[in-house]
Amino acid sequence: MPRMHPRIVQVAVPRPLHSVYDYQVPAPLPMPAVGARVRVPFNRGSTVGVCTAHLHSSAHKSLKDVAEVLDGQPLLPPDLVQLAHWMTDYYHHPLGEVLATLLPAAARKGAPGNLDEPDWWTTSVPAFDNKRATAQRALFDYLQANQPCAAEQLTAAGHKRAALRALAKAGAVERCEPDLRGGGEVPPEPSAAQATAIQAVITKLDAFNVQLLEGVTGSGKTEVYLRVMEPVLDQGGQVLVLVPEIALTPQTLQRFQQRYGGVGMLHSNLSDHERLQTWLKAAAGKLRVIVGTRSAIFTPFRKLGLIVVDEEHDSSYKQQDGLRYSARDLAAKRAQQLNLPVVLGSATPSLESLYNVNRGRYAKLSLPHRAAGARMPTYHLIDMRGQAHTDGVAVALEHVIRRHLDARGQVLLFLNRRGFAPALLCAACGWQALCSDCDAKLTLHRKPAALVCHHCGLRFPIPDQCEHCGSSSLLPVGMGTQRTEAAVQRLFKDLPVYRIDRDSTRSNRALEQRFAQINTGEPAIMVGTQMLAKGHHFPNVTLVAILNADAGFCSPDFRAPERTAQLITQVAGRAGRAERPGEVWIQTYQPDNPLLQCLMQAGYPGFAELELQQRIAVGLPPAKPMALIRAESANGTEAVNLLQQFKQQLRGLELLGPVAAPIARVANRQRYQLMLVADSRPHLHQHLARLQPPRLPRSLRWSIDVDPYDSL
Ligand code: ADP
Ligand code: ZN
Ligand code: ZN
């Protein structure tokens, strides 16, 4: 018989497998609300968990006591607790870990959930005339002309925090409520297509619905987002705007901030404290708009009225480790739970979203033309077979580059490989430099010179001799951005060449500085990876060249064609975004590749339609739901055995595997996977819910990836 006890709570703790436990709340402590954090004893230590239910009784005889209740008000509002439960079922991930993923890191570690005093200031006396305190006087005068004013704005204008403190101490200035009014920017007049899209969204603001805004690159999707936000904000509602990781730059933020006040930003470069504060401000309604990357989907709001997902096809919306959620899919789920609208925008929508349009679940809106009269670029192929080239830049392309530079245009060269060369090969015996810990070739880097493993991050000195035969003729094979940069600099001696990849621009600030240099508009060449492809606006780029289009179309991953077509279209979309028309040149060794031909002739929409029909025909996502179970262990045997056991338990589904991952060994662990395809979602989830993992050796790790983005 369970014994009756009125002060029992269920607490989810961040542990794998069994993550929900019953605890007793001792008399002096208040009962924690559902969604509040509690500190509880766990194993031999203690941990921060979240109260998930009040219980009338427990099946357990002796319950441990809650040690501390951390939140008077629940930090997680009911809608997020509800979302966490849904995620637990959908992603087959323990509730405690789901809740821990939702919380900002500071909150997870037990930091108090109190809002700092607002860092906004006004003057509190009519004048400040201390002749000697010039810094203070200057700040006072600035504030008087610009009040109320955020402390960040004061420091951005060159004033010192110390002067502000001194003025506050003297009683000349005081804190005030933040000003959430807009910046008063005059918006452009929407085009006819924009107006139609705006109208379509605005008429459906009061209930759940998803609209896919398919707008070609440079068509003014952001203007549509800004316009549909207005009525939501006017009614006191809040808006969540999700953007891809690379696109969240001060430039992006500014576009929202200039139109509306009260914009907060959530991205991975914030300190834990800043992140928690922005989170709390959104929950308290002290911010009106949150612009953020993937995990911003978990922001609590006082009155959320609309969710926008920009570049909805972007891979950064899918978390690739731990709890492998899709922020885009969660946006739709959260909107459904809260009964509010979602706008998904992209020039190259995912097949998932297009499938939902075809089935009538999403409505589609189109912006078929570029804004403000800019034309779409023209496409040209360069057949690389038998072409002379300089380190991968064809002579024919060199001429085109020169023509554009002579016409004072800027040039963007795209190559999806960082480093100097993707392999180092012995010309005498064919030996290749491999990683000691992975089954992978090492990439040759220059400045700093090293062989780098792009899978585990290990670095090795560059050998003088072949390890196998001792020959000293070691050849860098293939192209990386560093090699292209060097080649282009040799070909165009007097022109600035900017390389933009993860090695050259590690911080957002460095990236901003680069973009500022580029947007002075002088003729220049940019060489870069997909960091250049996403959402950026370079008005003076008239030529985009894709140096190696083939790799993506040759990958066995079933999503590779879709991804490659998206990438080519997005990169191409950087060309000719302003007055001057753009050209796109694509180097290929397979000019007749049917996928490439289809993209050239039918454009992304035609390509996507055909690719979707293929997926439906062979029964792959989005037509059928998929999951991937990955397992890894030191020698691989345990991983394979586990997946074999799962395979038995999952009979009734279409199963592929266990097979070794394409790069089987990474960081000295052998990786295997089992792919599952089901006829329907319920079918998939019934089976996954039945999985019974046996007792596992410590060294074995495994995970379930529902709707995997990478299937290899
Ligand atoms: P997308 O996100 O669709 O690629 P953007 O929103 O970046 O396109 O818009 C491209 C450019 O067109 C921006 O400089 C934007 O200010 C401008 N623009 C958008 N809408 C209009 C409009 N209705 N009239 C004039 N310019 C516009
Ligand atoms: Zn050799
Ligand atoms: Zn490695």
Side-chain angles (χ1 to χ4, degrees):
M1 264 301 280
R3 72 182 173 140
M4 298 300 288
H5 204 299
R7 286 177 66 87
I8 301 173
V9 288
Q10 186 187 57
V11 175
V13 299
R15 292 292 186 283
L17 297 179
H18 309 290
S19 71
V20 191
Y21 295 86
D22 300 348
Y23 285 89
Q24 191 159 256
V25 185
L29 291 184
M31 279 295 277
V34 169
R37 292 169 304 153
V38 291
R39 195 181 296 281
V40 291
F42 196 79
N43 285 344
R44 255 152 271 147
S46 82
T47 187
V48 175
V50 174
C51 172
T52 49
H54 292 173
L55 304 177
H56 295 296
S57 63
S58 172
H60 301 279
K61 281 250 166 57
S62 63
L63 294 180
K64 288 185 183 164
D65 280 355
V66 167
E68 193 184 350
V69 177
L70 293 168
D71 301 314
Q73 293 291 319
L75 196 61
L76 289 166
D79 69 296
L80 284 181
V81 174
Q82 192 192 352
L83 186 68
H85 280 289
W86 183 85
M87 290 172 72
T88 300
D89 294 338
Y90 189 88
Y91 292 112
H92 300 272
H93 205 82
L95 181 62
E97 287 196 340
V98 172
L99 287 163
T101 306
L102 262 60
L103 290 171
R108 214 180 300 147
K109 293 173 197 155
N114 302 331
L115 211 45
D116 290 345
E117 277 185 280
D119 213 358
W120 280 73
W121 298 83
T122 53
T123 57
S124 37
V125 290
F128 179 78
D129 40 16
N130 183 339
K131 295 263 175 328
R132 280 182 302 157
T134 38
Q136 291 176 39
R137 225 179 42 233
L139 193 154
F140 186 90
D141 292 345
Y142 179 89
L143 187 57
Q144 201 158 42
N146 296 287
Q147 55 187 342
C149 184
E152 292 116 43
Q153 189 183 331
L154 290 170
T155 45
H159 299 287
K160 292 272 178 300
R161 202 80 222 191
L164 184 63
R165 270 197 301 270
L167 283 168
K169 210 164 161 210
V173 302
E174 64 191 6
R175 286 182 194 267
C176 64
E177 280 301 305
D179 179 11
L180 302 185
R181 286 170 308 167
E185 173 223 33
V186 182
E189 198 54 40
S191 66
Q194 282 173 325
T196 307
I198 293 163
Q199 200 50 37
V201 177
I202 285 182
T203 51
K204 293 203 246 170
L205 282 178
D206 53 2
F208 169 66
N209 69 92
V210 184
Q211 307 207 47
L212 176 67
L213 177 64
E214 182 172 18
V216 298
T217 52
S219 58
K221 290 183 287 294
T222 310
E223 186 58 33
V224 173
Y225 307 150
L226 286 164
R227 292 273 183 166
V228 302
M229 286 161 65
E230 193 172 338
V232 177
L233 300 175
D234 282 349
Q235 286 168 28
Q238 294 166 295
V239 178
L240 171 62
V241 182
L242 296 181
V243 297
E245 238 149 52
I246 289 171
L248 188 52
T249 60
Q251 221 181 353
T252 312
L253 186 70
Q254 233 174 13
R255 283 180 80 175
F256 289 90
Q257 189 82 52
Q258 273 167 2
R259 190 74 59 90
Y260 307 110
V263 181
M265 181 149 107
L266 281 174
H267 56 77
S268 49
N269 287 338
L270 296 178
S271 72
D272 284 359
H273 180 75
E274 287 170 322
R275 196 178 176 79
L276 177 58
Q277 285 299 314
T278 303
W279 213 74
L280 293 169
K281 277 187 216 164
K286 291 186 186 295
L287 288 171
R288 304 204 299 167
V289 180
I290 290 287
V291 182
T293 49
R294 179 174 63 232
S295 64
I297 188 59
F298 304 128
T299 314
F301 288 93
R302 198 175 53 95
K303 194 182 166 195
L304 188 59
L306 168 70
I307 305 178
V308 173
V309 184
D310 190 26
E311 307 292 356
E312 62 88 29
H313 66 280
D314 194 88
S315 62
S316 72
Y317 289 126
K318 172 85 177 174
Q319 168 116 334
Q320 302 278 17
D321 53 23
L323 172 54
R324 294 163 189 262
Y325 67 88
S326 154
R328 185 219 26 233
D329 296 351
L330 288 180
K333 191 66 215 172
R334 210 175 161 194
Q336 191 188 35
Q337 290 181 341
L338 291 170
N339 197 28
L340 48 90
V342 182
V343 176
L344 306 177
S346 178
T348 53
S350 63
L351 297 191
E352 273 67 20
S353 294
L354 290 171
Y355 187 61
N356 278 322
V357 169
N358 286 0
R359 288 195 304 163
R361 290 173 148 215
Y362 295 179
K364 187 157 102 174
L365 310 168
S366 299
L367 302 178
H369 305 292
R370 283 189 158 173
R375 273 172 289 162
M376 290 305 281
T378 54
Y379 282 79
H380 313 264
L381 288 185
I382 298 179
D383 183 352
M384 290 297 280
R385 292 170 302 184
Q387 267 265 3
H389 63 84
T390 309
D391 276 348
V393 178
V395 174
L397 180 59
E398 193 188 322
H399 292 313
V400 178
I401 296 176
R402 209 172 290 283
R403 173 159 59 76
H404 279 264
L405 294 172
D406 287 346
R408 303 200 59 72
Q410 291 179 327
V411 171
L412 190 158
L413 305 180
F414 174 81
L415 179 61
N416 214 5
R417 262 245 156 81
R418 61 197 174 85
F420 186 83
L424 186 66
L425 183 86
C426 171
C429 77
W431 170 85
Q432 289 193 350
L434 301 176
C435 178
S436 59
D437 289 6
C438 309
D439 295 337
K441 280 182 274 192
L442 291 170
T443 302
L444 179 65
H445 281 244
R446 298 250 170 105
K447 291 186 219 166
L451 288 170
V452 182
C453 176
H454 284 189
H455 298 277
C456 72
L458 279 184
R459 304 176 76 87
F460 303 84
I462 299 172
D464 303 325
Q465 293 181 328
C466 171
E467 280 181 17
H468 182 69
C469 75
S471 156
S472 55
S473 48
L474 295 179
L475 292 179
V477 178
M479 303 185 290
T481 46
Q482 294 180 349
R483 190 173 202 171
T484 307
E485 178 192 22
V488 173
Q489 192 70 81
R490 277 203 312 280
L491 291 171
F492 302 93
K493 287 209 172 50
D494 307 322
L495 279 167
V497 176
Y498 302 111
R499 176 164 57 87
I500 296 176
D501 57 29
R502 252 203 294 143
D503 301 313
S504 71
T505 29
R506 286 194 182 271
S507 69
N508 271 345
R509 185 184 295 264
L511 199 60
E512 270 319 286
Q513 282 169 354
R514 269 294 149 86
F515 289 164
Q517 280 171 325
I518 290 160
N519 281 338
T520 58
E522 288 301 305
I525 301 175
M526 288 170 261
V527 177
T529 56
Q530 64 230 34
M531 276 179 105
L532 277 176
K534 293 183 183 170
H536 301 299
H537 192 57
F538 303 114
N540 297 301
V541 168
T542 55
L543 169 64
V544 164
I546 293 163
L547 298 183
N548 180 1
D550 301 331
F553 284 129
C554 299
S555 161
D557 187 335
F558 77 89
R559 266 185 230 279
E562 173 188 1
R563 258 197 305 250
T564 306
Q566 287 167 343
L567 192 58
I568 290 177
T569 310
Q570 293 284 347
V571 180
R574 302 310 110 202
R577 287 168 68 95
E579 298 82 45
R580 290 194 280 174
E583 289 178 17
V584 179
W585 287 73
I586 299 177
Q587 297 191 152
T588 173
Y589 285 92
Q590 307 180 334
D592 302 324
N593 182 310
L595 293 169
L596 185 60
Q597 281 300 332
C598 175
L599 181 62
M600 294 298 106
Q601 275 149 29
Y604 184 80
F607 177 94
E609 188 52 44
L610 206 69
E611 187 66 16
L612 183 55
Q613 292 317 319
Q614 294 260 340
R615 298 260 195 97
I616 294 171
V618 296
L620 280 170
K624 286 185 172 186
M626 176 186 278
L628 207 58
I629 305 181
R630 298 186 178 87
E632 56 170 73
S633 65
N635 69 14
T637 328
E638 289 156 330
V640 174
N641 286 344
L642 178 69
L643 293 181
Q644 288 291 6
Q645 286 184 48
F646 283 157
K647 193 171 182 177
Q648 296 302 317
Q649 296 172 17
L650 290 168
R651 254 182 305 199
L653 295 179
E654 243 177 90
L655 297 163
L656 189 75
V659 292
I663 296 179
R665 185 178 55 118
V666 169
N668 267 332
R669 295 176 66 80
Q670 303 284 345
R671 308 178 311 155
Y672 288 83
Q673 60 189 39
L674 178 65
M675 189 187 278
L676 293 55
V677 178
D679 286 332
S680 68
R681 289 240 161 242
H683 190 209
L684 179 75
H685 288 297
Q686 279 156 20
H687 278 77
L688 285 174
R690 281 207 303 259
L691 273 189
Q692 292 285 344
R695 275 194 86 79
L696 299 171
R698 269 261 198 86
S699 67
L700 180 63
R701 270 183 252 149
W702 69 281
S703 63
I704 298 179
D705 189 351
V706 177
D707 310 328
Y709 186 76
D710 290 307
S711 61
L712 289 178

